[in-house]
Amino acid sequence: NYRVVLAENRKMYNELQDLKGNIRVFCRIRPFLRGQTGRKTTIDYIGEDGEMAVMNPAKPGKDGRRVFRFNKVYGPDSTQAEVFADTQQLIRCILDGYNVCIFAYGQTGSGKTHTMMGPNGASEEEWGVNYRALSDLFKISQDRKATFIYESIVLDSFVYLDFNTLGIMSTSQPSGLAVPDATMQPVTSTADVIDLMNTGLNNRAVSATAMNERSSRSHRFYCLFSYPIYLNILDISKYTVSNRIIYSVVSINVRGKDVKTGATMVGNLHLVDLAGSERVDRSEVTGDRLKEAQHINKSLSALGDVIFALAQKSSHVPYRNSKLTQLLQSSLGGHAKTLMFVQLNPDANAYSETMSTLKFAERVSGIELGAAKSNKEGRDVKELMEQVASLKDTIAKKD
Ligand code: ADP
Ligand code: MG
């Protein structure tokens, strides 16, 4: 059966990519929102094998149709649970000592925050990737207690108004970064973390005593929480006009010890809700909004440049061109696994932004970042890759 073979083939392709540590790209199309019934869509086709097609509303027909292929495409009916089911395995890699970076890219209103965090005040069912990831990591670290001791899970949560003015310092932390004046807060559950993150989002100060009361005696998990909006912006007057959150980054560092061998392991996960990728018309914005837009463009293209440099195995990877790429450096290299959610607004009116998002994603998805290597030990990637290649060969012959 051709369909089955095709699906098998795709599965193996994804597995192969897993082994190679390539950047993976999942495309997610949000539904039309309440009150948007009867709107024209630009999405022409969504396949189960990662294929999708977009139609130019000004040119309906063969000429205006463009096909894209990613590792996965989620249609408007996809649930948060479905999306997490496909990212869970990747996220769990950090417990084995891998560095992982997951980011959401797309224009404003395309569902980045919905995928990464979920709606405001989300119930557990509506939780996005970040809360589900934390909850899963807490659970697994408990399950593995007999064979593996997770000494700490450190969470950094950053909400940035502006990356240029944020003070980032190098440290010996697995993430390689620290934001000065951050405070360590012990947490014991996902609920604690959500409380802290909400506090951060609302820009309220955490009362240390209130936190200590709740944390009881457990000091196994720490949440490193910071308020760079207040603490690290050098000239706040330049950027607070709209008080918009441009990027948010959740960074989870795990350190543990194998009970049998005593070997230590560190792994690190970055969950990044990027700034909207839409191009801003210079004639329409001025002053601070223009500066902000230019800054966003610069850092998103710096992110693109880093990925392309890695792909070309260039001797110089321009991590230092933006604070964003500095922050993500540890999880954007040859030894890391990277996943990009490409978020799309289905509306026909969004066609040109949708195309530019898809083109960025297409360039990124074709790129190998080199073999992912565990911080703990190298896997026998070569052998597994040969196995997959020979299976693929068998399928090709059957066709
Ligand atoms: P972004 O962060 O890219 O600007 P949001 O995540 O805020 O976009 O999404 C814009 C709106 O669309 C929000 O009201 C959000 O709740 C809604 N939305 C986005 N994705 C979905 C989805 N998959 N299902 C239901 N509603 C969604
Ligand atoms: Mg958002």
Side-chain angles (χ1 to χ4, degrees), residues 362-380:
E362 191 177 48
R363 274 170 75 205
V364 165
S365 68
I367 282 163
E368 281 178 24
L369 289 185
K373 207 169 74 185
S374 167
N375 297 340
K376 186 175 61 177
E377 63 189 44
R379 289 254 167 98
D380 201 355

Side-chain angles (χ1 to χ4, degrees), residues 112-114 273-274:
K112 295 181 297 296
T113 303
H114 184 88
D273 187 348
L274 289 170

Side-chain angles (χ1 to χ4, degrees), residues 336-373:
K337 293 165 181 272
T338 305
L339 166 66
M340 180 165 87
F341 280 105
V342 179
Q343 295 287 150
L344 299 181
N345 176 344
D347 202 302
N349 291 338
Y351 173 74
S352 77
E353 282 305 332
T354 295
M355 279 303 279
S356 89
T357 298
L358 285 168
K359 280 177 183 163
F360 181 92
E362 191 177 48
R363 274 170 75 205
V364 165
S365 68
I367 282 163
E368 281 178 24
L369 289 185
K373 207 169 74 185

Side-chain angles (χ1 to χ4, degrees), residues 126 204 315 371 391:
E126 296 171 300
R204 280 190 267 109
S315 59
L391 284 166

